[in-house]
């Protein structure tokens, strides 16, 4: 069982323990990721973060099991804003990252897409290196995400 610091507190990851929610994971990740960024780079990171939250809320529920979908619906009745990010966990985030790297979520503007791909790569690394999920549990899906990352990176190369 690993202990990681996410959202300012320590959380044990494993059976019968509290797992951090997506918003805690993203807050911790983005605060560290943009720590030394300024100007245009910081603005693009913030755009990608906002875009990821929209993806989470709009398309994220499609990746959930029935029980989690029901929990999400109940949460949205009380507080609809960012309900997916407040109630779901790292494993769910991994599946949403896969969606986020595909159209229609892949940024149209080349510079923003470049930042989006970099952020997603680092976010996946963060989730796994923090011990929030076991990479082996997501091995099959990781092949798909890695292919999406490669495909998105290939669109960053000049044609000619």
């Amino acid at each position: 069982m690993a202990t990681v610091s996410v959202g300012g507190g320590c959380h044990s990851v494993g059976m019968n323990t509290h797992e951090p929610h997506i918003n805690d994971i993203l807050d911790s990740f983005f605060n560290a990721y943009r720590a030394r960024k300024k100007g245009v780079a910081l603005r693009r990171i913030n755009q990608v973060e906002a875009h990821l939250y929209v993806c989470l809320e709009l398309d994220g529920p499609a990746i959930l099991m029935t029980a989690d979908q029901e929990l999400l619906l109940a949460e949205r009745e009380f507080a609809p804003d960012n309900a997916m990010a407040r109630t779901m966990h790292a494993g769910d985030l991994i599946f949403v990252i896969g969606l986020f790297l595909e159209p229609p979520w892949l940024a149209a503007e080349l510079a923003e897409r470049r930042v989006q791909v970099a952020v997603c790569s680092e976010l996946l690394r963060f989730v796994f290196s923090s011990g929030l999920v076991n990479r082996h549990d997501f091995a099959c899906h990781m092949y798909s995400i890695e292919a999406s990352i490669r495909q998105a990176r290939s669109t960053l190369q000049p044609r000619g």
Side-chain angles (χ1 to χ4, degrees):
M1 185 178 322
T3 302
V4 294
S5 176
V6 177
C10 288
H11 302 280
S12 295
V13 179
M15 286 184 57
N16 301 321
T17 60
H18 173 74
E19 294 180 52
H21 292 106
I22 290 173
N23 62 343
D24 296 326
I25 296 165
L26 293 179
D27 284 349
S28 181
F29 170 77
F30 278 106
N31 287 339
Y33 193 79
R34 64 177 154 238
R36 291 183 291 260
K37 307 290 189 209
K38 295 180 185 176
V40 174
L42 181 59
R43 183 177 51 84
R44 287 198 176 113
I45 292 167
N46 291 337
Q47 288 172 329
V48 168
E49 180 183 21
H51 195 58
L52 176 57
Y53 271 98
V54 173
C55 177
L56 271 165
E57 296 306 317
L58 293 180
D59 283 353
I63 60 94
L64 298 176
M65 303 292 281
T66 303
D68 287 336
Q69 287 177 345
E70 291 170 358
L71 173 66
L72 180 60
L73 284 172
E75 180 67 21
R76 283 183 169 167
E77 285 186 31
F78 294 103
D81 293 340
N82 291 325
M84 175 87 176
R86 284 194 324 276
T87 58
M88 298 302 132
H89 303 95
D92 305 308
L93 177 59
I94 290 169
F95 284 97
V96 172
I97 291 169
L99 295 173
F100 191 56
L101 288 167
E102 299 286 337
W105 295 106
L106 195 58
E109 182 196 343
L110 186 63
E112 187 177 335
R113 188 177 332 135
R114 183 173 284 116
V115 173
Q116 181 179 356
V117 171
V119 164
C120 288
S121 294
E122 287 301 314
L123 180 54
L124 284 169
R125 189 173 296 122
F126 174 80
V127 168
F128 288 114
S129 68
S130 298
L132 296 172
V133 295
N134 181 336
R135 186 176 179 93
H136 298 292
D137 293 342
F138 292 87
C140 291
H141 190 65
M142 284 307 299
Y143 289 124
S144 175
I145 293 175
E146 288 167 355
S148 295
I149 290 172
R150 282 191 304 276
Q151 176 61 34
R153 280 191 177 132
S154 75
T155 68
L156 301 175
Q157 305 305 319
R159 307 256 187 239

